[in-house]
Amino acid sequence: MTNFSKNNTKALGNYPLNQEEVDIDLVEWLNILKDGKWLVIFVTLAVLFLGIAKAFLDKPVYKADVILQINEKTRTLAGIEPLIDLFKSTMPVLAEIELIKSRMVLGETIKNLDLDIIAKPKYFPLVGEAIARQYQLRNHDNSIFNPIAGLSHYAWGGESIKVDTLTVPENLKDEELILLTGEQDHFQIIYRDGLILEGRVGELVSKQIANNQLPVTILVSLLKSRPGTQFILKRLSENSAIIQLKENLVVSEKNKLTGILELTLESHSPDQAVRVLNEIANIYVQQNVEHKSAESQKTLEFLEKQLPILKKQMEVATSDLNDYRNRKGSIHLDIETENILKGLVEIKTQTTLLQQKRDELRQSYTESHPNVIAVDKQISRLREQARTHENLIKVLPETQQVIAGLSGDVQVSTTLYNTLLNNAQALKVTKAGTVGDVRVIDYAILPDLPIKPKKMLIISVTFIFGIFLGIAAVFVRKMLHRGIEDPDLVEKQLNIPVYSTVSHSKCQEILNKEAGKHNKSHNNVPLVLAKIYPEDSAIESLRSFRTSLHFSLLDAKNNIVLISGPSPNIGKTFVAMNLATVMADSGKKVLLIDADLRKGAINKLLGVSRENGLSEIISDTITMKKATHKIAQANIDFISTGALPPNPSELLLHERFGIFLETLTEQYDLVIIDSPPILAATDAAIIGRFASATFMVIKAGQHTKRELEQSIKRFAQSGTNIKGIVFNGVPESASRYGYVYQYNYKKD
């Protein structure tokens, strides 16, 4: 049991320490965020404002789509299946996608819809188009919005323009032109502040510019605006127009191996998105059909060229046979000769058809192509068979030979003509009934709502991003801030004890504002925090300092305490004045001296005049009694600076100053002197020689380590050692360090 307890204690002895450190770090981070809450709120609201502005200023984007189906095989009419092989299509879907996005399709679309002509109103930067868009939504009488702030050259809503024709020289393509409206439908075209031409709505205007071969030509069919409003015109080059269309066009297969293609287009104009997509679909389907019927058209053209020739040959052969028979009379061939003649006719017919097929193949292939070589071999075999039949005919009588030859020519030409005529009719039917590999399943329709901007998404994202950015800004500010905020670091790095940590007092801020009002109204009521708000946490800290100070002065050489600091505006006067009041509350007779002969202002807070003070005492122009003010409300005596001298350091070095302080030690229990900052003047070092205890007031987060080291060094060079540090202005959230505690402990 004992071993278990020891092991368990050891295990728990290490872990809670790490856990505590983690908890302390987490609390510290939370308190850092609490200190920077206003920065987080400001950054969040700023980013949120930008997000809201973007959500409402961005121009709406609409999306339209078209569905196409890609078939694997072209459908043909029944009865002409032998010709199917001529029109098979095995083109993959990916190839179809590339064809849709080709210049062949997109270029014709741009040409048909004039997408290479851009004509739009010129809006005020950033917000002008959004204002015009909102006005357009509420405008029911087609009126034109009045210009804002007299900026009549911008469009503010209700303006419209339509340009049917716009041609420019090559050097002006993709360049921005300005159309300036005038009175009675007149307008001017301006380029780089130079007038190009003038025209009128509904009239075709053309003008030659310099040495350009192509003139500037424009036809404005619609122009609605105030006189003086500007419009932006631009004629895109073919390449620029295609690139611009490709950027917004997406072609993809909906599901793998389905052959279903989806064409989507994003545009600021829903009407234009629908028109462009439907035009692309129609053009592609048309070109696909034309491509599939191209081979039939090519063969048909070849046959139509051959038919007149074969018809003439048939007519000549028939005429020759009839003439010969008329001269020789009716001659009948025996059965054997007719069989030979029939075989020769078939061979010649096949040879001629193969020759025509070879001519057709040669339009697409070279002599060395396998198909051409195969046809040549077939023609050679048929010609050998034809020579064999011709040799059999040569043994016949001369009259029968002539009749057989003429009859063969007639039969061959007739058979060829009828065969080609039938093929031509079949190809015409095939061409008329050809269906492409593509069909439109769904045409584009007008979208109901825009897809962009997604306002709620933008606002939500920017709100979250603003919070993260604000938190990051707080921690970055914390990292960049070099001021010491932890009194423990002061003790560790400077080896000087921190006697008190004084929290920031909001009540003192109120008194500072009232002090300014009192100065204007010459009110003599002392504004001492220890008397007006005695329960303030800062006063409680000074009471703790009072106790520490009491014990530190037990072995001191005198009862003079010097309050100084490294730099101005750190609260040393606040500490000196309220410490004197707190000490007086404990029954001590206390004298407060304002020894800041440069900018001392304690007299304003205590409601007394500056005149007749320390400088006059040292100058021996008045007595100490006359310079001492009784502050009854604070129960202390006070000596002001007196007239601010031109040489405060030399005045403090006078021996009368030391004699004066020696006399004070016998009359008062405690003398507290408020001096100038040590880094701003040497006065504090001079006064420090006469004090038994010198305390340096520093403000949380305002001083670097080097600044404090320099302050201590300045005091040390004059023979003054810093007794301790008063850590002032600690924020309420600084409780993360454990050196500011506030309790609500009141009498019931």
Side-chain angles (χ1 to χ4, degrees), residues 94-112:
L94 291 179
E96 300 290 341
I97 293 176
E98 295 303 319
L99 287 174
I100 293 174
K101 299 169 67 175
S102 66
R103 287 192 296 270
M104 177 180 65
V105 175
L106 299 186
E108 187 172 351
T109 302
I110 292 170
K111 182 179 179 181
N112 293 346

Side-chain angles (χ1 to χ4, degrees), residues 214-247:
L214 186 66
V216 175
T217 304
I218 186 171
L219 173 59
V220 180
S221 59
L222 173 65
L223 183 59
K224 178 184 176 183
S225 69
R226 299 179 309 275
T229 304
Q230 294 183 359
F231 291 81
I232 296 175
L233 300 181
K234 185 183 293 187
R235 176 60 187 260
L236 300 178
S237 61
E238 181 181 6
N239 190 42
S240 299
I242 291 175
I243 292 175
Q244 184 172 321
L245 181 55
K246 277 186 176 180
E247 289 177 352

